[in-house]
């Protein structure tokens, strides 16, 4: 059944999970004219949005009560489970006819289950994980990968527009999450090869910036090489994306591929190396810090003179 | 000692190895005004260049005799060894003061050895492997990665200009080959992750073209994903680059990294998978055919409806 487009002027949204990404994304929806109720485990992280006029709610259930659209952007699948399906979760409090949008990178199977439970309560649930990082969230240039009901997704057009540059309905419930897992599979192999290529070049005695110039413009070129390669060379391991979050994603890829009886040796290797990186204390470093672990593996420390 | 730039009007070049890449590259030098002597193991492959005015020589030694610059573009390191260092090779016949440019992707250590032997005979040897494939060779848009003497490289400017879009001196003898090995390390991990990502998406039931659209524009994007992804989806495994040549390159990366005591687990895995691809009969398919082997690994055949 076609739905009218959501009207920012007459719709209150709820936003559960106001971390770095969530705060920026909720802020963009408020910029677009939506009234917002916000909720977060540590309340301090909602302060900035409250100062801009958002209402604070103590629980996801409360936050959802008077919202037409409820967004969730939390950490792990178990957090998604709790804020949506738990006793104080969104589905315990939201109105019939509401739309629930989980933007957390989470399990496709959980997205399917939430959609089924939501549907029994007259609620439409959409999975819509994103790619594009903190910068994309701030600037509204995310790529949003969507799974769920087409009519609801179409009605949410003003929301996608506020947050994204690309938003594509990939299929039914879980399809957004599956597309994000495809994305992370690409990122895993890409990052591993960038780190190995720079280690090779370093040990071969090449000037890394000059070598990067030769390889980045041709068939070996990638977004990650051009954007993270220079950071690795200058020893900048500040997180664009945390190793610990990437490990969560790789675990989901492997769990799903296990279910499909699909061997993915490259992802499996990358997951092991990132597991080692976490063991070496790099959980809260950026994913490009994998080079530290790969250097360590061969008994030396990554340190490049500039 | 600075050298004057090579003058196409008064310089004869020799070109050894007129395969797909070599023919196009030699043709571009002839377009730029160079007179050429050509040599190839199977003579028929020189016919087109001879029809355009090139002189045929029976051996590399003969071809090199009256050339100011000698280019080699052959298959494997043992071919490089034979056409340059062998009894009928370039160094047995070329003039003192000549410049030898090996554009084959070959071993860095062999490039160093050739440079040393050449130097004893008053010849300057440059290693200059390329990236950019048959299309780049035809259009003169190759990325040329150069190792060797700066003065000689500068003097060759008119030659680089005829063949390349980017040419960068990376260091002394062997540095061009090392940079190419860095390039192939990137290509290996990139291709493996593209194949795994498409397999995942296929098994998850996604529409592959639509999923590709979501992931190609963001942080997972790469030249290979945008250019080879669509070919894999439509089942086009025609070679841009042969599996058997890529296996040669990966063997060199692993041999060099062994010498450096550098573990490169991603390259090692990719080499094993490409080895399996060759075992399954894909030596003369393009590198994107790795997906056939990865699908086979999980017991199914890659076949996508369009």
């Amino acid at each position: 059944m076609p739905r009218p487009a959501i009207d920012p002027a007459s719709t209150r949204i709820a936003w559960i999970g106001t971390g770095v990404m969530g705060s920026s994304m909720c802020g963009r929806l408020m910029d677009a004219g939506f009234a917002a109720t916000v909720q977060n485990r540590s309340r301090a992280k909602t302060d900035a949005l409250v100062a801009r006029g958002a209402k604070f709610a103590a629980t996801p259930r409360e936050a959802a009560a008077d919202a037409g659209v409820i967004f969730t952007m939390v950490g792990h699948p178990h957090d998604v489970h709790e804020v949506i399906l738990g006793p104080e979760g969104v589905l315990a409090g939201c109105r019939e006819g509401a739309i629930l949008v989980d933007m957390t990178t989470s399990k496709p199977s959980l997205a399917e289950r939430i959609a089924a439970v939501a549907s029994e309560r007259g609620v439409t649930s959409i999975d819509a994980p994103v790619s594009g990082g903190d910068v994309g969230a701030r600037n509204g240039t995310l790529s949003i990968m969507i799974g769920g009901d087409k009519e609801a997704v179409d009605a949410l057009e003003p929301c996608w527009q506020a947050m994204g540059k690309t938003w594509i309905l990939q299929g039914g419930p879980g399809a957004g999450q599956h597309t994000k897992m495809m994305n992370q599979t690409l990122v895993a192999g890409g990052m591993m090869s960038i780190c190995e290529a720079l280690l090779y070049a370093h040990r071969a005695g090449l000037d890394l910036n000059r070598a990067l110039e030769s390889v980045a413009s041709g068939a070996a070129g990638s977004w990650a090489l051009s954007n993270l390669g220079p950071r690795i060379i200058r020893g900048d391991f500040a997180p664009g994306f945390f190793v610990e979050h990437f490990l969560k994603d790789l675990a989901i890829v492997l769990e799903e591929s296990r279910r499909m009886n699909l061997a993915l040796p490259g992802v499996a290797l990358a997951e092991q190396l990132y597991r080692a990186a976490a063991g070496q204390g790099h959980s809260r470093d950026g994913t490009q810090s994998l080079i530290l672990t790969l250097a360590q593996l061969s008994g030396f420390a990554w340190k490049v003179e500039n």
Side-chain angles (χ1 to χ4, degrees), chain A residues 138-157:
Chain A
R138 235 178 2 256
N139 301 337
T141 57
L142 295 168
S143 170
I144 311 173
M145 298 159 251
I146 312 173
D149 177 73
K150 185 176 183 330
E151 274 71 34
V153 171
D154 287 347
L156 290 168
E157 190 77 11

Side-chain angles (χ1 to χ4, degrees), chain A residues 236-299:
Chain A
D236 173 3
F237 300 112
F241 189 57
F242 288 128
V243 164
E244 66 178 5
H245 289 162
F246 195 45
L247 268 170
K248 171 200 69 170
D249 298 354
L250 293 178
I252 297 173
V253 174
L254 291 175
E255 184 183 327
E256 291 292 322
S257 59
R258 210 169 285 136
R259 203 178 47 75
M260 303 173 189
N261 263 332
L262 177 67
L264 297 178
V267 175
L269 174 59
E271 197 267 350
Q272 287 292 297
L273 293 169
Y274 273 106
R275 193 68 61 195
Q280 291 179 14
H282 300 300
S283 294
R284 303 289 288 175
D285 287 331
T287 50
Q288 73 275 24
S289 69
L290 184 65
I291 200 162
L292 301 172
T293 298
L294 281 165
Q296 185 70 24
L297 181 63
S298 293

Side-chain angles (χ1 to χ4, degrees), chain A residues 15 17-19 22-24 26-27 30 36-57:
Chain A
W15 194 284
T18 54
S23 291
S24 294
C26 179
M30 290 172 70
T37 305
V38 295
Q39 202 280 325
N40 193 66
R41 199 158 42 187
S42 52
R43 180 167 180 165
K45 289 190 181 168
T46 64
D47 288 352
L49 292 166
V50 169
R52 291 180 51 195
K55 204 166 75 178
F56 176 78

Side-chain angles (χ1 to χ4, degrees), chain A residues 165-223:
Chain A
K165 182 183 63 174
T166 312
W167 53 95
I168 301 178
L169 178 60
Q170 294 290 349
Q177 296 297 352
H178 275 308
T179 307
K180 181 67 188 278
M181 292 305 127
M182 178 193 183
N183 190 82
Q184 301 306 69
T185 296
L186 291 162
V187 169
M191 202 64 236
M192 185 164 66
S193 68
I194 289 168
C195 293
E196 293 194 357
L198 286 169
L199 283 174
Y200 179 97
H202 173 60
R203 294 288 268 204
L206 297 177
D207 177 297
L208 297 183
N209 287 303
R210 212 189 302 153
L212 191 62
E213 202 185 333
S214 268
V215 301
S217 63
S222 67
W223 184 94

Side-chain angles (χ1 to χ4, degrees), chain A residues 214-237:
Chain A
S214 268
V215 301
S217 63
S222 67
W223 184 94
L225 183 64
S226 296
N227 285 274
L228 298 175
R231 292 197 211 174
I232 294 172
I233 292 174
R234 66 174 183 262
D236 173 3
F237 300 112

